[in-house]
Amino acid sequence: MVLVECRFGDAAAVEMMVDSGAQHSVISAPLARRLGLMNRLDRSEQGVAAGVGRARIIGKLRSVAIYLKNVEFALDFSVLEVQDQLLLLGLDQLRRFRCIIDLEQNVLVFGGAGGVQVPFLEQERVRRYIQGTPLDGCRQM
């Protein structure tokens, strides 16, 4: 499991799972509410997300400012109607920002070779995340 730390404005830092197997980047409705993002929800793009499980997509958040290693990025997220706190970076945004998942250096590189390097969370923090979080969850750091 690959996790990176990110921040939404002045909100607390949260863990974001990097999932190259997910077609779209997603955020759970409870986390979007906690971060004060639901007033920006575009409900015109609803549907069902299917993969390991199924969840209702209640809309889309566009150009959400998040900070990774003090660099601001405007990311798009589908909002899922699930109970867990979930934040996942999928292929849509990985491709858009020409990301490289560098498993040798343990960094996610935004902008291709020579871009902004965002370190993976160390394995001990990943273990604590897994132990302290429900399936597909995301905890406040």
Side-chain angles (χ1 to χ4, degrees):
M1 181 179 292
V2 174
L3 299 173
V4 295
E5 181 178 295
C6 68
R7 184 174 298 281
F8 290 78
D10 293 332
V14 296
E15 293 118 343
M16 181 166 56
M17 186 182 309
V18 178
D19 189 349
S20 63
Q23 290 296 313
H24 299 281
S25 299
V26 298
I27 187 170
S28 65
L31 182 57
R33 273 188 209 89
R34 190 180 96 208
L35 296 170
L37 300 171
M38 290 301 279
N39 62 334
R40 300 179 49 197
L41 183 65
D42 175 1
R43 293 187 181 268
S44 68
E45 290 192 38
Q46 296 187 8
V48 174
V52 174
R54 295 176 67 84
R56 194 173 134 222
I57 300 170
I58 61 173
K60 187 114 176 179
L61 291 170
R62 298 183 197 293
S63 298
V64 176
I66 73 164
Y67 296 88
L68 297 156
K69 198 178 173 186
N70 296 322
V71 177
E72 182 178 329
F73 293 92
L75 301 181
D76 299 337
F77 295 97
S78 293
V79 181
L80 298 184
E81 190 176 71
V82 295
Q83 296 306 309
D84 297 331
Q85 302 281 311
L86 174 66
L87 182 61
L88 189 144
L89 185 65
L91 274 178
D92 58 342
Q93 301 303 292
L94 291 169
R95 281 192 177 117
R96 177 179 166 207
F97 288 98
R98 297 181 8 247
C99 291
I100 299 169
I101 301 170
D102 187 334
L103 299 174
E104 184 176 350
Q105 299 297 317
N106 288 320
V107 295
L108 177 64
V109 182
F110 276 76
V116 176
Q117 294 186 2
V118 179
F120 299 162
L121 292 180
E122 60 276 355
Q123 287 304 304
E124 180 55 35
R125 285 182 65 188
V126 172
R127 276 191 284 284
R128 285 189 306 230
Y129 171 88
I130 292 168
Q131 292 169 350
T133 306
L135 262 183
D136 296 328
C138 176
R139 293 184 296 110
Q140 180 174 325
M141 297 171 92

